[in-house]
Amino acid sequence: MTHMVEIRDLHKSFGSLEVLKGIDFTVDRGQVICVIGPSGSGKSTLLRCVNLLETPTKGQVFVEGLELTHPDVDIDAARRRVGMVFQQFNLFPHLTVLDNITIAQRRVLKRGKAEAVRVAEENLAKVGLEGKGRSYPAQLSGGQQQRVAIARALAMDPDLMLFDEPTSALDPELVGDVLAVMRQLADEGMTMIVVTHEMAFARDVADRVVFMDGGVIVEEGSPDRVIGAPEHPRTQTFLRRVLDPTHAEPDELDTGHPHRGLTGEESPDMVKGPSRHGGEGAGAGGVGAL
Amino acid sequence: MITQYVLFVVVLVVLAFTIDWPKIQETFFDFKATREMYPDLFTVALKNTVIYTVSAYVVGFVLGLVVALMRLSSVALYRWVALLFVEIFRGLPALLTLLIIGFGLPVALGGPVPGGTVGAVAVGLGLVAAAYMAETFRAGIQAVPRGQMEAARSLGMSYPRAMFSIVIPQGLRIIIPPLTNELVLLFKDSSLVSALGIAAAGVELTKMGSDFAINTADATPFVVAGASYLIITVPLGIVVRRLEARQAKAR
Ligand SMILES: Nc1ncnc2c1ncn2[C@@H]1O[C@H](COP(=O)(O)OP(=O)(O)OP(=O)(O)O)[C@@H](O)[C@H]1O
Ligand SMILES: [Mg+2]
């Protein structure tokens, strides 16, 4: 049987900075994979290579047996089967919630208006937001916006969902609602790759946890093994900090070296607490070709 | 504060006594002699000014958007051609571009330009407007966060689809004030059309003003034409300022 996702010897460089240094990795249908690791370790880049928001420098990415890295692949068609949820939500602010969820159904899947609206309302109900269709994103809380973003992705009937730190930009009291929706999705058998710092979620929901550091997979396995009894010292250091941020050892403090991945050291915000990463996504400028 | 008011009054008084007011009035505000300008001032000249402006604006808008997209293309050749276009038509005097098109295009086509004077003006002033608007569009598109394009692409939209459905609508909102301002500039630049030899039916405000000035031998027709421009440009300017203020508040 073909894997849902198969990644072979994936490399990605930005200029002279090699961010992914040879990733091999498979996901089977219905599995939930949680990717954890320090800031800058390449988690987002890995996820973004799975739907080719980043073009790999080397290596292959297969989704349901189709090689996305093949030059002749119809990338728009391939992306329809892969939903993505971003840290910064990325809802379309000029459209109502309902239009956010129907626009791609109508323009890409060519669904009729009635059907698109029906699918949108189903998915809004699923994420606990029935009746919010006429609101604009700015009128919703962060947690509600993120659930709309999930509904928007689900409306395309994806076979695979990618989540890039979906709760990191949320106020703590709003995290639970989003995680509950994701947990329900997992229970329904959705194949998911989730980059997260929510260790409790990873422990409960993941079939497999992948620990990345410095552009490589350092350790992977069941949550009980990787989170419960990590073997590699880098995993141990990372988990100690995430699980008990107030007890970072003085000799483990961030040296301020820009590329910390290799030494197993984390960014300052990691020392303070696992959530709330600033970071990618919202930066203005450069709508380049994708 | 007080000294500023005093200075103002002093200047007024000096002007009041040194200027030959009757002469001024006779030269610039002798409205009796301009009666013949109506109603053609509005039914012909102002109408033509609006027609030239709008047709050049439409050309500038569409062509400017195309050039902006070329400027943002991943294909180096497109970026290069677009940059060349912008530099040329921002660098040339608008009058010269209009003359080149107005006189050159009929020769090049071996016959009259489709649309006559309006067609030539739409192309001539449209090219200039396109060069300016291209930079405005580019700024607007680049002001839209990158995540918007990524979200649209991750939903399976093609690059053009995402551009036209998601990015450009948001970018346009940001640049409505400068785009409106461009309309004001173009409205004034339409006076350059008077430099082309145009038939009576194609007369616009400035040409009409100068034709009548020759007859009346004073400058009042120019003042009348000028007031007609202001009827349009002042309200538009107010609109632009309101829009800018509203956007500044929304930030
Ligand atoms: N478009 C880009 N251009 C240049 N460098 C980039 C780009 N995207 C990411 N990087 C760099 O690649 C490295 C890995 O980034 P990535 O976003 O994948 O890390 P991450 O593991 O997701 O970190 P975080 O937990 O902070 O989100 C970082 O050093 C980052 O600065
Ligand atoms: Mg990241």
Side-chain angles (χ1 to χ4, degrees):
Chain A
M1 202 191 106
T2 54
H3 301 290
M4 178 65 95
V5 179
E6 181 169 2
I7 291 169
R8 289 190 202 146
D9 193 33
L10 181 69
H11 290 253
K12 174 66 184 175
S13 300
F14 294 105
S16 61
L17 176 67
E18 190 172 31
V19 175
L20 298 180
K21 301 173 182 168
I23 303 272
D24 292 275
F25 167 91
T26 59
V27 183
D28 287 322
R29 190 172 295 274
Q31 279 190 326
V32 177
I33 310 296
C34 282
V35 181
I36 62 173
S39 182
S41 56
K43 307 180 297 293
S44 298
T45 308
L46 171 63
L47 208 62
R48 292 158 58 84
C49 281
V50 175
N51 69 352
L52 251 57
L53 283 182
E54 303 289 357
T55 314
T57 319
K58 190 180 150 212
Q60 292 168 299
V61 176
F62 298 85
V63 172
E64 296 181 299
L66 178 73
E67 187 189 344
L68 300 194
T69 38
H70 194 280
D72 295 339
V73 78
D74 177 356
I75 187 59
D76 297 326
R79 282 196 184 118
R80 276 167 224 165
R81 297 182 293 166
V82 183
M84 183 150 191
V85 175
F86 301 85
Q87 184 175 345
Q88 303 294 341
F89 327 138
N90 293 348
L91 292 181
F92 306 133
H94 62 303
L95 301 179
T96 62
V97 164
L98 201 62
D99 290 342
N100 262 274
I101 306 178
T102 53
I103 188 165
Q105 293 187 63
R106 302 203 55 201
R107 306 278 191 212
V108 177
L109 300 180
K110 308 289 179 201
R111 284 182 185 153
K113 183 166 184 198
E115 192 194 355
V117 168
R118 183 180 58 73
V119 172
E121 278 167 353
E122 266 170 34
N123 282 292
L124 272 179
K126 186 167 188 167
V127 300
L129 291 174
E130 50 272 275
K132 289 281 183 196
R134 302 171 86 120
S135 307
Y136 279 88
Q139 298 168 316
L140 303 179
S141 75
Q144 290 173 329
Q145 289 188 49
Q146 192 60 298
R147 285 183 282 150
V148 172
I150 294 172
R152 179 176 70 177
L154 290 176
M156 302 297 285
D157 296 327
D159 298 329
L160 167 69
M161 287 283 287
L162 309 174
F163 293 84
D164 190 0
E165 297 195 37
T167 58
S168 292
L170 298 178
D171 289 335
E173 76 271 21
L174 303 176
V175 168
D177 294 342
V178 173
L179 291 182
V181 168
M182 292 168 61
R183 195 183 290 259
Q184 181 197 337
L185 262 186
D187 290 343
E188 290 170 6
M190 176 63 77
T191 314
M192 297 161 54
I193 307 180
V194 184
V195 173
T196 187
H197 290 286
E198 300 290 341
M199 292 304 148
F201 176 83
R203 250 192 130 128
D204 281 4
V205 180
D207 295 297
R208 202 162 86 240
V209 173
V210 172
F211 173 70
M212 280 183 71
D213 194 4
V216 296
I217 293 177
V218 175
E219 189 166 351
E220 66 177 306
S222 71
D224 285 343
R225 260 205 37 227
V226 178
I227 300 177
E231 282 167 14
H232 201 285
R234 281 199 253 169
T235 322
Q236 292 166 359
T237 309
F238 172 76
L239 284 168
R240 195 157 55 239
R241 288 183 170 190
V242 172
L243 296 174
D244 191 2
T246 55
H247 279 90
E249 300 290 328
D251 62 331
E252 291 171 0
L253 286 181
D254 187 5
T255 56
H257 193 275
H259 194 65
R260 330 165 182 99
L262 284 173
T263 60
E265 298 200 302
E266 291 89 27
S267 69
D269 51 2
M270 187 70 65
V271 176
K272 283 185 232 112
S275 62
R276 304 226 143 249
H277 283 242
E280 70 271 67
V287 180
L290 286 172
Chain B
M1 228 18 184
I2 292 279
T3 51
Q4 281 159 4
Y5 281 112
V6 170
L7 182 67
F8 186 70
V9 171
V10 168
V11 170
L12 275 190
V13 169
V14 169
L15 286 179
F17 284 99
T18 52
I19 288 177
D20 182 353
W21 289 106
K23 185 87 188 149
I24 292 277
Q25 201 211 333
E26 201 177 291
T27 311
F28 295 102
F29 303 103
D30 185 9
F31 292 107
K32 265 174 268 136
T34 62
R35 289 232 176 90
E36 282 169 44
M37 289 178 81
Y38 312 102
D40 284 1
L41 179 73
F42 297 112
T43 55
V44 178
L46 183 58
K47 191 185 93 188
N48 282 333
T49 295
V50 170
I51 289 173
Y52 294 141
T53 306
V54 170
S55 52
Y57 194 78
V58 169
V59 171
F61 193 98
V62 174
L63 191 59
L65 190 53
V66 171
V67 172
L69 292 173
M70 286 171 69
R71 286 271 273 147
L72 295 167
S73 166
S74 55
V75 182
L77 178 69
Y78 286 173
R79 288 201 302 272
W80 213 85
V81 169
L83 183 64
L84 197 68
F85 176 90
V86 169
E87 293 301 337
I88 288 176
F89 288 105
R90 283 202 313 187
L92 287 177
L95 177 58
L96 192 69
T97 305
L98 185 61
L99 290 173
I100 291 173
I101 298 298
F103 290 109
L105 214 51
V107 178
L109 294 175
V113 181
T117 309
V118 175
V121 172
V123 174
L125 291 181
L127 284 170
V128 179
Y132 285 97
M133 284 205 253
E135 291 300 278
T136 306
F137 281 126
R138 187 170 68 97
I141 289 170
Q142 286 186 322
V144 177
R146 181 203 294 261
Q148 293 292 308
M149 176 57 94
E150 293 183 346
R153 296 305 305 271
S154 76
L155 289 167
M157 290 189 205
S158 64
Y159 180 83
R161 175 93 265 161
M163 208 55 171
F164 282 99
S165 294
I166 304 299
V167 176
I168 290 176
Q170 293 181 55
L172 273 185
R173 265 161 225 231
I174 302 169
I175 57 171
I176 285 174
L179 284 182
T180 313
N181 201 40
E182 180 62 33
L183 188 61
V184 174
L185 294 178
L186 209 48
F187 191 72
K188 293 187 292 176
D189 276 355
S190 68
S191 72
L192 300 172
V193 175
S194 62
L196 296 175
I198 37 178
V203 160
E204 45 67 63
L205 286 171
T206 300
K207 175 81 169 129
M208 186 176 197
S210 75
D211 287 352
F212 273 81
I214 291 165
N215 288 341
T216 61
D218 71 28
T220 310
F222 286 125
V223 173
V224 171
S228 311
Y229 282 104
L230 293 179
I231 290 171
I232 306 273
T233 53
V234 169
L236 272 180
I238 292 172
V239 167
V240 171
R241 245 172 296 137
R242 289 251 168 96
L243 289 170
E244 279 171 349
R246 195 199 291 177
Q247 286 194 352
K249 222 160 99 189
R251 290 269 152 80

